[in-house]
Amino acid sequence: MSAEHVGEGAPLSGSQLTITADGYTADIATVGASLRTLRHEGRDLVVPFDADEVRPVFRGAVLAPWPNRVVDGRYTFDGAEQELALTEPTRQHALHGLVGWTDFAVEAHEPDRAVLTTTVPAQQGYPHRVVVTVEYRIDAEGLHTAVTGRNTGPSRAPWGTGPHPYLVAGAGSVDDWTLTLPAAEVLEVTPDRLVPTALVPVHDEFDLREPTLIGPRFIDHAFTGFVRDTEGAAVIDVVAADGHGVRASFGAECGWVQVHTADHVVPGYHRSGLAVEPMTCAPDAFNTGADRGLLVLEPGAAHTAAWTIAAI
């Protein structure tokens, strides 16, 4: 089936889709194909927002055709210089792709599954046409998300994707939770504009390979070099003092994860959840290329990345 575009009387975050199974319930908003709520046995696993609310920042949104930042909104691809709109004005970058505020169409909605789709049209700064399909599915293992980009245009297209959930371990704030992040390397950034610089071994406050109380530390960095299981999955755990928590896992197609302690000037948002964003590429990969995970979709080609959020 197809969804109507957002119109009069619709919630500000778009049409609402609820899926549920095995104690899990998720609400999906069509604007940005956003994960608006996720609960297990009534317990929040992500920071929610209201249906009739403009989504705060990128909370729960799908990021495509790039996650994180393109520095200065400029890059060169296949010999052509491109300039994107600067959607992060304070730091002067192009942030989190082109579909975050798009109203996705609903292709399928079943009790435990929803599929949404949109097309990134060829445009200034990104002269390529890519169909983006997002599948949400719930089972006893948690909420599974898969994002597929399919190049329907005539030219090769740079591509990257990822989600933007703010995970909630339990009572308290980020400061009270324990994080296990099995990554060997961290991408250093400049303190003012978060421009990526050197990829270095994890050190000091960024060495989170063993369970570590987050405390007052500030993190807004990308990590890589994960310990993975035999199937290629990496696992990140965020646990509250009572032993309950939330787990994010992702496959080998996501070589990076951005972690952010949600330091905001808005009191209601400040350190209320931990952003854990599996990504197919590093920040500014449109400039650094395949060495930092940039994918290239040939005409007619597709790529899928997937991740799971589950209760602990």
Side-chain angles (χ1 to χ4, degrees):
M1 66 178 177
S2 297
E4 297 288 338
H5 286 290
V6 174
E8 284 187 51
L12 290 176
S13 65
S15 301
Q16 305 296 307
L17 309 174
T18 298
I19 57 175
T20 185
D22 296 294
Y24 288 94
T25 300
D27 292 305
I28 315 301
T30 56
V31 173
S34 300
L35 177 60
R36 192 172 63 76
T37 75
L38 175 61
R39 298 182 174 95
H40 180 255
E41 303 293 354
R43 175 167 66 91
D44 282 319
L45 301 182
V46 301
V47 180
F49 66 95
D50 292 337
D52 205 19
E53 177 182 9
V54 176
R55 187 193 63 226
V57 290
F58 281 86
R59 188 180 294 176
V62 169
L63 316 178
W66 71 89
N68 213 279
R69 296 167 175 86
V70 176
V71 171
D72 298 321
R74 296 175 181 271
Y75 68 100
T76 299
F77 181 74
D78 279 354
E81 295 183 0
Q82 303 292 346
E83 185 173 357
L84 296 157
L86 301 181
T87 52
E88 189 182 30
T90 56
R91 294 192 177 108
Q92 294 289 287
H93 302 313
L95 184 65
H96 288 333
L98 299 169
V99 300
W101 298 104
T102 297
D103 183 37
F104 280 64
V106 179
E107 292 295 326
H109 184 200
E110 301 163 9
D112 60 353
R113 176 177 174 267
V115 180
L116 304 92
T117 187
T118 192
T119 297
V120 179
Q123 59 196 272
Q124 181 175 326
Y126 193 78
H128 316 283
R129 187 173 64 237
V130 178
V131 174
V132 181
T133 302
V134 182
E135 180 187 46
Y136 287 101
R137 180 176 55 84
I138 283 180
D139 61 20
E141 302 301 317
L143 174 69
H144 309 282
T145 308
V147 176
T148 300
R150 181 167 56 87
N151 184 357
T152 62
S155 62
R156 292 168 16 112
W159 172 257
T161 190
H164 206 302
Y166 286 85
L167 303 184
V168 175
S173 72
V174 166
D175 303 53
D176 306 308
W177 305 334
T178 295
L179 172 63
T180 307
L181 173 59
E185 296 176 292
V186 61
L187 186 59
E188 294 185 327
V189 293
T190 61
D192 52 351
R193 300 181 62 217
L194 303 181
V195 174
T197 55
L199 183 64
V200 300
V202 291
H203 56 87
D204 302 325
E205 70 269 32
F206 300 121
D207 189 349
L208 302 158
R209 289 172 288 184
E210 297 297 328
T212 303
L213 183 69
I214 297 172
R217 77 189 68 209
F218 168 79
I219 307 170
D220 196 358
H221 294 73
F223 295 80
T224 191
F226 299 103
V227 174
R228 296 180 181 269
D229 65 20
T230 56
E231 296 181 352
V235 174
I236 296 171
D237 287 347
V238 190
V239 179
D242 65 0
H244 290 98
V246 59
R247 169 170 293 168
S249 58
F250 46 94
E253 67 275 15
C254 292
W256 297 79
V257 68
Q258 183 81 13
V259 175
H260 179 32
T261 44
D263 298 70
H264 288 289
V265 294
V266 181
Y269 302 165
H270 184 67
R271 299 178 77 88
S272 59
L274 184 72
V276 175
E277 309 162 39
M279 305 182 297
T280 58
C281 59
D284 202 34
F286 273 29
N287 281 302
T288 51
D291 287 347
R292 290 191 178 167
L294 182 68
L295 297 167
V296 176
L297 298 179
E298 299 290 340
H303 180 272
T304 299
W307 44 86
T308 297
I309 301 174
I312 297 174

